[in-house]
Amino acid sequence: MIRFDNVTKKYQDNEIAVNQVNLNIEDGEFFVFIGPSGCGKTTTLKMINRLIPLTTGTIYINEKRISDYNIHELRFDIGYVLQQIALFPHMTIAENIAIVPELKKWDKEKIYNRTTELLEMVGLDPETYRNRKPKELSGGEQQRIGVVRALAADPSIILMDEPFSALDPISRQKLQQDISLLQKKIKKTIVFVTHDMQEALALGDRICLMQDGEIVQCDTPNNILKNPKNDFVRHFLDSGNIAKPHLLPENKQAKDIITSLHLVGKNAPDSPVLNDDAKISDVIVALSKQDAIQIQNEQNEITGVITNADLTKFLANQLEEVGETK
Ligand SMILES: Nc1ncnc2c1ncn2[C@@H]1O[C@H](COP(=O)(O)OP(=O)(O)OP(=O)(O)O)[C@@H](O)[C@H]1O
Ligand SMILES: [Mg+2]
């Protein structure tokens, strides 16, 4: 769908911003660029819709060189969310959203319905917000308008440059979910830039890590997590506070094993006894020396028996609950 063939960008002062990039972004793919500030993400994105001319190499969309497209045709069919919010201050929110639909000469009713639908999608009441000016919205609200404006005329490609960076974590997560669902539903090709590894892993079908204008690793989230190519990639993964598998559910106690696996009433009279508020790690230690342990309550009554097989089963259930076995 979007193919980079040996693409290089040098700005006037001869600094190489993007260096010999080769890429093939598939139709319907959610493709994420990530990397430190200044590594060339925005430059790469802006070359796709010709906001920035490339220096050498070729970019193709559907195997046609972007330079062979009529510039309006190209821009109409590529939604773009800028890194800096860029709503037109003199226009209302509805007018801002309707820019491309107007250019495409949609009729009034269709435009009205579309703006309503898009405002609702990002949790902004259409009646309240439709006629406001951008300065009457918070930064995060303006950013949401920037996002839906890019979707307004149903483009087949959407470029998004750190679209959620000014949002609080909750709105951010909500919008991430919205965009992810939307993309699965309508199968748009989305090229998305972020600094945030968690965001990249949550959204990307593939993630492309850049450093100093070059691609370091480009792969599925799973493969990157499993096989980070070098220390730079590892560092980026670490910086994202990726949830590590919580192998030991430390908030659980022996009695939780008994109740969740219905082990009440079993007996193993010769086995050692552990209190039912013992931590999981204590249960593991006890079971490393014995095949079974008896569990007693506060009144020193035996309530059940845990075997090694039970423990394994309990831990497996816990992992499944937190989604680690997917
Ligand atoms: N108009 C310009 N003229 C000269 N150099 C530029 C221009 N725009 C960007 N650069 C340089 O090109 C390099 C890549 O910039 P780019 O904006 O693509 O980085 P980025 O990865 O998007 O960074 P950030 O995460 O901070 O947005 C940087 O070194 C930057 O200084
Ligand atoms: Mg940028």
CSV table of all heavy atoms in Angstrom, one decimal, residues 11-13 15-18 35-44 52 83-84 161-162 193-195 210, ligand 1:
chain,number,residue,atom,x,y,z
A,11,TYR,N,17.8,18.0,4.9
A,11,TYR,CA,17.4,19.4,4.9
A,11,TYR,C,18.5,20.2,4.4
A,11,TYR,O,19.7,19.7,4.2
A,11,TYR,CB,17.0,19.8,6.3
A,11,TYR,CG,15.7,19.2,6.7
A,11,TYR,CD1,15.6,18.1,7.6
A,11,TYR,CD2,14.5,19.7,6.2
A,11,TYR,CE1,14.4,17.6,8.0
A,11,TYR,CE2,13.3,19.1,6.6
A,11,TYR,CZ,13.2,18.1,7.5
A,11,TYR,OH,12.0,17.5,7.9
A,12,GLN,N,18.3,21.5,4.1
A,12,GLN,CA,19.2,22.4,3.4
A,12,GLN,C,20.6,22.3,4.0
A,12,GLN,O,21.6,22.3,3.4
A,12,GLN,CB,18.8,23.8,3.4
A,12,GLN,CG,17.8,24.1,2.3
A,12,GLN,CD,16.4,24.1,2.8
A,12,GLN,OE1,16.1,23.6,4.0
A,12,GLN,NE2,15.4,24.6,2.1
A,13,ASP,N,20.6,22.4,5.4
A,13,ASP,CA,21.9,22.4,6.0
A,13,ASP,C,22.7,21.1,6.0
A,13,ASP,O,23.6,20.9,6.7
A,13,ASP,CB,21.8,22.9,7.5
A,13,ASP,CG,20.7,22.1,8.2
A,13,ASP,OD1,20.3,21.1,7.6
A,13,ASP,OD2,20.3,22.5,9.3
A,15,GLU,N,21.9,18.2,6.9
A,15,GLU,CA,21.8,17.2,7.9
A,15,GLU,C,20.8,16.2,7.4
A,15,GLU,O,19.8,16.5,6.8
A,15,GLU,CB,21.1,17.9,9.2
A,15,GLU,CG,21.2,16.9,10.4
A,15,GLU,CD,20.5,17.4,11.6
A,15,GLU,OE1,20.3,18.6,11.7
A,15,GLU,OE2,20.1,16.6,12.4
A,16,ILE,N,21.2,14.9,7.6
A,16,ILE,CA,20.4,13.8,7.1
A,16,ILE,C,19.4,13.5,8.1
A,16,ILE,O,19.7,13.1,9.2
A,16,ILE,CB,21.2,12.6,6.7
A,16,ILE,CG1,22.1,12.9,5.6
A,16,ILE,CG2,20.3,11.4,6.4
A,16,ILE,CD1,22.9,11.7,5.1
A,17,ALA,N,18.1,13.7,7.8
A,17,ALA,CA,17.0,13.5,8.8
A,17,ALA,C,16.5,12.1,8.7
A,17,ALA,O,16.1,11.5,9.7
A,17,ALA,CB,15.9,14.5,8.6
A,18,VAL,N,16.4,11.6,7.4
A,18,VAL,CA,16.0,10.2,7.2
A,18,VAL,C,16.9,9.6,6.2
A,18,VAL,O,17.3,10.2,5.2
A,18,VAL,CB,14.5,10.2,6.6
A,18,VAL,CG1,14.1,8.8,6.2
A,18,VAL,CG2,13.5,10.8,7.7
A,35,GLY,N,10.5,6.3,18.4
A,35,GLY,CA,12.0,6.6,18.5
A,35,GLY,C,12.2,7.9,19.2
A,35,GLY,O,11.2,8.7,19.4
A,36,PRO,N,13.4,8.2,19.6
A,36,PRO,CA,13.7,9.4,20.4
A,36,PRO,C,13.4,10.7,19.6
A,36,PRO,O,13.4,10.6,18.3
A,36,PRO,CB,15.1,9.3,20.8
A,36,PRO,CG,15.7,8.2,20.0
A,36,PRO,CD,14.6,7.4,19.4
A,37,SER,N,13.3,11.8,20.3
A,37,SER,CA,13.1,13.1,19.6
A,37,SER,C,14.2,13.3,18.6
A,37,SER,O,15.3,13.1,18.9
A,37,SER,CB,13.1,14.2,20.7
A,37,SER,OG,12.7,15.4,20.2
A,38,GLY,N,13.8,13.8,17.4
A,38,GLY,CA,14.7,14.1,16.4
A,38,GLY,C,15.2,13.0,15.5
A,38,GLY,O,16.0,13.1,14.6
A,39,CYS,N,14.6,11.8,15.7
A,39,CYS,CA,15.1,10.6,15.0
A,39,CYS,C,14.5,10.6,13.5
A,39,CYS,O,14.9,9.7,12.7
A,39,CYS,CB,14.8,9.3,15.7
A,39,CYS,SG,13.1,8.9,15.7
A,40,GLY,N,13.6,11.4,13.2
A,40,GLY,CA,13.0,11.5,11.9
A,40,GLY,C,11.6,11.0,11.7
A,40,GLY,O,11.2,10.8,10.5
A,41,LYS,N,10.9,10.8,12.7
A,41,LYS,CA,9.5,10.3,12.6
A,41,LYS,C,8.6,11.2,11.8
A,41,LYS,O,7.9,10.8,10.9
A,41,LYS,CB,8.9,10.0,14.0
A,41,LYS,CG,9.8,9.1,14.9
A,41,LYS,CD,9.1,8.9,16.2
A,41,LYS,CE,9.0,10.1,17.1
A,41,LYS,NZ,10.3,10.7,17.5
A,42,THR,N,8.6,12.5,12.3
A,42,THR,CA,7.7,13.5,11.6
A,42,THR,C,8.1,13.7,10.1
A,42,THR,O,7.2,13.7,9.2
A,42,THR,CB,7.7,14.8,12.4
A,42,THR,OG1,7.2,14.6,13.7
A,42,THR,CG2,6.8,15.8,11.7
A,43,THR,N,9.4,13.7,9.9
A,43,THR,CA,9.8,13.9,8.5
A,43,THR,C,9.4,12.7,7.7
A,43,THR,O,8.9,12.9,6.5
A,43,THR,CB,11.4,14.0,8.5
A,43,THR,OG1,11.8,15.0,9.4
A,43,THR,CG2,11.9,14.2,7.1
A,44,THR,N,9.5,11.5,8.2
A,44,THR,CA,9.1,10.3,7.4
A,44,THR,C,7.6,10.4,7.1
A,44,THR,O,7.2,10.1,6.0
A,44,THR,CB,9.4,9.0,8.3
A,44,THR,OG1,10.7,9.0,8.6
A,44,THR,CG2,9.0,7.8,7.5
A,52,ILE,N,6.5,17.4,2.9
A,52,ILE,CA,8.0,17.6,2.8
A,52,ILE,C,8.5,16.8,1.6
A,52,ILE,O,8.2,15.6,1.5
A,52,ILE,CB,8.7,17.0,4.1
A,52,ILE,CG1,8.3,17.9,5.3
A,52,ILE,CG2,10.2,17.0,3.9
A,52,ILE,CD1,9.0,17.5,6.6
A,83,GLN,N,1.3,17.0,14.7
A,83,GLN,CA,1.9,16.9,16.0
A,83,GLN,C,1.4,18.1,16.9
A,83,GLN,O,1.1,17.9,18.0
A,83,GLN,CB,3.4,16.8,15.9
A,83,GLN,CG,4.1,16.6,17.3
A,83,GLN,CD,5.6,16.2,17.1
A,83,GLN,OE1,6.1,16.2,16.0
A,83,GLN,NE2,6.2,15.9,18.2
A,84,GLN,N,1.4,19.3,16.3
A,84,GLN,CA,0.9,20.4,17.0
A,84,GLN,C,-0.6,20.6,16.5
A,84,GLN,O,-0.9,20.5,15.3
A,84,GLN,CB,1.6,21.7,16.7
A,84,GLN,CG,2.9,21.9,17.5
A,84,GLN,CD,4.1,21.2,16.8
A,84,GLN,OE1,4.1,21.1,15.6
A,84,GLN,NE2,5.0,20.8,17.6
A,161,ASP,N,0.5,12.0,13.9
A,161,ASP,CA,1.7,12.3,14.6
A,161,ASP,C,1.5,12.7,16.0
A,161,ASP,O,1.1,13.7,16.4
A,161,ASP,CB,2.4,13.5,13.8
A,161,ASP,CG,3.8,13.7,14.1
A,161,ASP,OD1,4.3,13.0,15.0
A,161,ASP,OD2,4.5,14.4,13.4
A,162,GLU,N,1.8,11.7,16.9
A,162,GLU,CA,1.6,11.8,18.3
A,162,GLU,C,0.2,12.5,18.7
A,162,GLU,O,0.2,13.5,19.4
A,162,GLU,CB,2.7,12.7,18.9
A,162,GLU,CG,4.1,12.1,18.5
A,162,GLU,CD,5.2,12.5,19.5
A,162,GLU,OE1,4.9,12.7,20.7
A,162,GLU,OE2,6.3,12.6,19.0
A,193,VAL,N,2.6,7.9,14.8
A,193,VAL,CA,3.9,8.2,15.4
A,193,VAL,C,3.7,8.4,16.9
A,193,VAL,O,2.7,9.0,17.4
A,193,VAL,CB,4.5,9.5,14.9
A,193,VAL,CG1,5.7,10.0,15.7
A,193,VAL,CG2,5.0,9.3,13.4
A,194,THR,N,4.5,7.8,17.7
A,194,THR,CA,4.4,8.0,19.2
A,194,THR,C,5.8,7.9,19.8
A,194,THR,O,6.8,7.4,19.3
A,194,THR,CB,3.5,7.0,19.8
A,194,THR,OG1,3.4,7.2,21.2
A,194,THR,CG2,4.0,5.5,19.6
A,195,HIS,N,5.9,8.5,21.1
A,195,HIS,CA,7.1,8.3,21.9
A,195,HIS,C,6.9,7.2,22.9
A,195,HIS,O,7.8,6.8,23.6
A,195,HIS,CB,7.3,9.6,22.7
A,195,HIS,CG,8.1,10.6,22.1
A,195,HIS,ND1,7.5,11.8,21.6
A,195,HIS,CD2,9.4,10.7,21.9
A,195,HIS,CE1,8.5,12.5,21.1
A,195,HIS,NE2,9.7,11.9,21.3
A,210,MET,N,13.0,3.8,15.2
A,210,MET,CA,14.0,4.6,14.4
A,210,MET,C,15.0,5.2,15.4
A,210,MET,O,14.7,5.5,16.5
A,210,MET,CB,13.3,5.7,13.7
A,210,MET,CG,12.4,5.2,12.5
A,210,MET,SD,11.7,6.6,11.6
A,210,MET,CE,13.1,7.2,10.7
B,1,LIG,N1,12.6,22.2,8.5
B,1,LIG,C1,13.8,21.6,8.9
B,1,LIG,N2,15.0,22.1,8.6
B,1,LIG,C2,16.1,21.6,9.0
B,1,LIG,N3,16.2,20.5,9.8
B,1,LIG,C3,15.0,19.9,10.2
B,1,LIG,C4,13.7,20.5,9.8
B,1,LIG,N4,12.7,19.7,10.3
B,1,LIG,C5,13.4,18.8,11.0
B,1,LIG,N5,14.7,18.9,11.0
B,1,LIG,C6,15.7,18.0,11.6
B,1,LIG,O1,15.5,16.7,11.1
B,1,LIG,C7,15.6,15.8,12.2
B,1,LIG,C8,14.4,14.9,12.3
B,1,LIG,O2,13.3,15.7,12.7
B,1,LIG,P1,11.8,15.2,12.9
B,1,LIG,O3,11.0,16.3,13.2
B,1,LIG,O4,11.5,14.3,11.8
B,1,LIG,O5,12.0,14.3,14.2
B,1,LIG,P2,11.0,13.5,15.1
B,1,LIG,O6,11.4,12.1,15.2
B,1,LIG,O7,9.6,13.8,14.6
B,1,LIG,O8,11.2,14.2,16.6
B,1,LIG,P3,10.1,14.5,17.7
B,1,LIG,O9,9.9,13.3,18.4
B,1,LIG,O10,10.8,15.5,18.6
B,1,LIG,O11,8.9,15.1,17.1
B,1,LIG,C9,16.0,16.6,13.4
B,1,LIG,O12,17.3,16.5,13.6
B,1,LIG,C10,15.5,17.9,13.1
B,1,LIG,O13,16.3,18.9,13.7
